[in-house]
Amino acid sequence: MLWHSHLATFLLVVGCATGRSVPPTDAPAAPERSEAVLARRVAAEGLAFDETERLGVAWGLVPRSSAGRRLEKAAPGALRFDDDWSREIEASVYSLPSSLFLAAEARAFLKEVHATAPRREILVFADPVMRGALAGLANVRALPTFGLPYSPWPRDPLSLVHRGDGGLAVLIRPNAQRGREEDATLGRALVQTLPADLDRKFRQPVWTVAGVPFHNGQALIAPDAVWISIHTLEPRILQILGRDRIPVETFGSAAGIDPYLAAARRAADELAILYGRPARFVHPLPENGELAARIETLRTLGGGAGTDLDSILTLLPRQPGATDSPLVALVADVAAGGALLGRLTTADLNAAREGYGFQPGVDLPGLLRASLAAPAARDLGAFLDSVAAHLAAQGLTVARLPLLIAPYSALSQADELPADGTFLIGWNNAVLETRGGTLYAEAFTSALLTGDREAIAAYQKAGARLALLPALPMSVIRGGGYRCASNHVRHWPRVDNPDTGRSP
């Protein structure tokens, strides 16, 4: 979401804290051993996760300690990643802090998730205020956070994968995201607080830390490949190069470009081992040709910095019977966003004003059009055009979806946001599943009714039924769409012989 790319700072060249550890004082009397009391302790004393967990177990507030469920090291290939669409979702995981979301917003959203997939378990990390507001919702299990400041984006910091016996494993990334450091304990919190019946169903989940950095908003997993961009690899590239920022000042010569690309290739090979499938780039790399062309390719790639890949690209399986393409790629399009502005109705604009909280009297069409004409938007548009052309050259069927960009300065809550920041309004940030032989997609509504209708038609043409859920506005405004705001346990057939990976 916000704040994850160093390269974004340098577009002109090439185009998340845990609490301090405080020893817990004596436990209070039994009537005072409540979730709210512990949350207040966390806030007042800055208790870190380990102290919070120890008190939660001692006070009987959680069913288990995550410490006893740690898998110290997983052998390569021992943890199996689902692709992004082949299996049905059994449980969805969300994080809905009351500091960002109104209770009415959260309830409306979760009710629609249940209506869309009635058999699905819904797990929600929530503080005491939000947990109370969510009581009584069908299939919703509210999990306590005890005041730990988890972000609303549970996808990025962890992967929900499977062991050889089919049991669940939580793979935690080793790279903390600036401003979201506490998210590093979210995977342990899931193992710790998972209700007993789901703990049995998922075969006593374990957790482990990955050996290499990853960012699930920057990776799209197909059955035979994981699709990435150069920005997916930035944390590992920095490690390999021994730097704290991408050395864009050296990209004017082959001597600067070549080590950077070598580090990128090494990092991609490591991710391929992690995900258990080859890593493929969604764009060209400037590996060959004249120096001027290589520099220009790097400049174009810089336009995609600071934007999560899943916010601008959606991959779907080819339609049944199709023989000319392995995948369908829906690629965001800045120019198509400009064209969409001409088709918006008064109802569209009024809904967007209310949904996102634009200031009264703002010329919304003019504002959005100006944002699309800004240099950063033009750079992003060039990057997206390059992605579309590259994927088409790889044999994918490519279609484009409109992308709009809105400035923070026009929002009623502008004082709470970076002065020069923007957010995306688009239709790419979707979650897919195959249920009953039908491919489904879920995403937030954009609040632009015309755009929503056109997106439903585009997904239908690509072979998927798109359900648009009530948006969580502050998640979108702060840089995360529906895929970012969710993580999912997918159905995995019971395996009684983990050595062969087969059921009897």
Side-chain angles (χ1 to χ4, degrees), residues 370-440:
S371 293
L372 292 179
R378 291 199 301 268
D379 290 342
L380 177 57
F383 172 77
L384 293 170
D385 291 344
S386 175
V387 169
H390 180 74
L391 293 178
Q394 304 306 303
L396 279 69
T397 297
V398 175
R400 308 298 295 269
L401 293 177
L403 183 68
L404 295 170
I405 302 173
Y408 286 159
S409 59
L411 297 173
S412 297
Q413 63 270 43
D415 292 345
E416 305 168 16
L417 299 163
D420 58 349
T422 61
F423 66 97
L424 302 181
I425 301 175
W427 293 265
N428 280 102
N429 207 296
V431 169
L432 306 170
E433 70 168 333
T434 298
R435 187 171 2 116
T438 298
L439 181 65
Y440 292 90

Side-chain angles (χ1 to χ4, degrees), residues 173-241:
R173 71 179 181 184
N175 48 309
Q177 196 162 330
R178 184 166 57 90
R180 296 169 51 188
E181 288 84 358
E182 196 62 62
D183 282 0
T185 68
L186 189 62
R188 293 182 61 184
L190 180 61
V191 171
Q192 171 202 75
T193 60
L194 194 67
D197 62 321
L198 295 183
D199 188 63
R200 292 189 298 271
K201 181 177 181 179
F202 299 142
R203 291 192 161 195
Q204 292 76 50
V206 299
W207 64 275
T208 190
V209 178
V212 295
F214 66 84
H215 184 309
N216 283 324
Q218 292 278 21
L220 302 175
I221 308 177
D224 60 352
V226 55
W227 291 84
I228 61 173
S229 82
I230 197 77
H231 309 295
T232 309
L233 307 171
E234 184 177 308
R236 183 60 179 140
I237 290 174
L238 291 174
Q239 289 181 349
I240 293 170
L241 296 178

Side-chain angles (χ1 to χ4, degrees), residues 72 90 103 106 189 224 228 231 290 309 342 389 471 475 496:
E72 288 296 334
E90 287 195 289
D224 60 352
I228 61 173
H231 309 295
E290 297 292 331
L309 187 61
S475 181
D496 291 323

Side-chain angles (χ1 to χ4, degrees), residues 82-106:
D82 293 302
D83 64 67
D84 282 346
W85 57 75
S86 295
R87 298 183 185 273
E88 181 175 358
I89 295 172
E90 287 195 289
S92 292
V93 181
Y94 306 99
S95 174
L96 303 179
S98 63
S99 59
L100 286 178
F101 305 118
L102 299 175
E105 292 173 342

Side-chain angles (χ1 to χ4, degrees), residues 10-256:
F10 302 98
L11 289 177
L12 294 179
V13 183
V14 296
C16 271
T18 56
R20 55 190 174 86
S21 177
V22 178
T25 57
D26 292 339
E32 299 177 1
R33 298 176 189 177
S34 69
E35 176 187 345
V37 169
L38 184 50
R40 288 196 294 270
R41 288 276 301 275
V42 169
E45 301 173 33
L47 300 184
F49 180 85
D50 285 335
E51 286 82 6
T52 304
E53 177 174 77
R54 191 153 43 243
L55 286 175
V57 172
W59 295 6
L61 301 177
V62 294
R64 68 194 66 84
S65 168
S66 67
R69 292 282 186 89
R70 180 168 189 173
L71 177 64
E72 288 296 334
K73 186 176 181 181
L79 301 181
R80 307 177 184 189
F81 285 76
D82 293 302
D83 64 67
D84 282 346
W85 57 75
S86 295
R87 298 183 185 273
E88 181 175 358
I89 295 172
E90 287 195 289
S92 292
V93 181
Y94 306 99
S95 174
L96 303 179
S98 63
S99 59
L100 286 178
F101 305 118
L102 299 175
E105 292 173 342
R107 288 180 64 87
F109 165 67
L110 295 172
K111 284 181 179 179
E112 194 60 30
V113 172
H114 175 61
T116 299
R119 295 187 300 180
R120 188 185 304 175
E121 296 284 353
I122 301 172
L123 304 173
V124 183
F125 282 101
D127 52 53
V129 172
M130 186 62 80
R131 269 166 61 82
L134 301 182
L137 290 181
N139 281 32
V140 172
R141 316 279 193 105
L143 309 180
T145 62
F146 303 113
L148 292 170
Y150 296 125
S151 84
W153 305 302
R155 176 167 301 271
D156 302 339
L158 58 94
S159 292
L160 299 175
V161 298
H162 296 277
R163 311 186 301 260
D165 65 354
L168 183 66
V170 180
L171 183 66
I172 299 170
R173 71 179 181 184
N175 48 309
Q177 196 162 330
R178 184 166 57 90
R180 296 169 51 188
E181 288 84 358
E182 196 62 62
D183 282 0
T185 68
L186 189 62
R188 293 182 61 184
L190 180 61
V191 171
Q192 171 202 75
T193 60
L194 194 67
D197 62 321
L198 295 183
D199 188 63
R200 292 189 298 271
K201 181 177 181 179
F202 299 142
R203 291 192 161 195
Q204 292 76 50
V206 299
W207 64 275
T208 190
V209 178
V212 295
F214 66 84
H215 184 309
N216 283 324
Q218 292 278 21
L220 302 175
I221 308 177
D224 60 352
V226 55
W227 291 84
I228 61 173
S229 82
I230 197 77
H231 309 295
T232 309
L233 307 171
E234 184 177 308
R236 183 60 179 140
I237 290 174
L238 291 174
Q239 289 181 349
I240 293 170
L241 296 178
R243 292 177 173 266
D244 59 3
R245 62 178 180 85
I246 298 296
V248 293
E249 69 278 1
T250 71
F251 290 172
S253 69

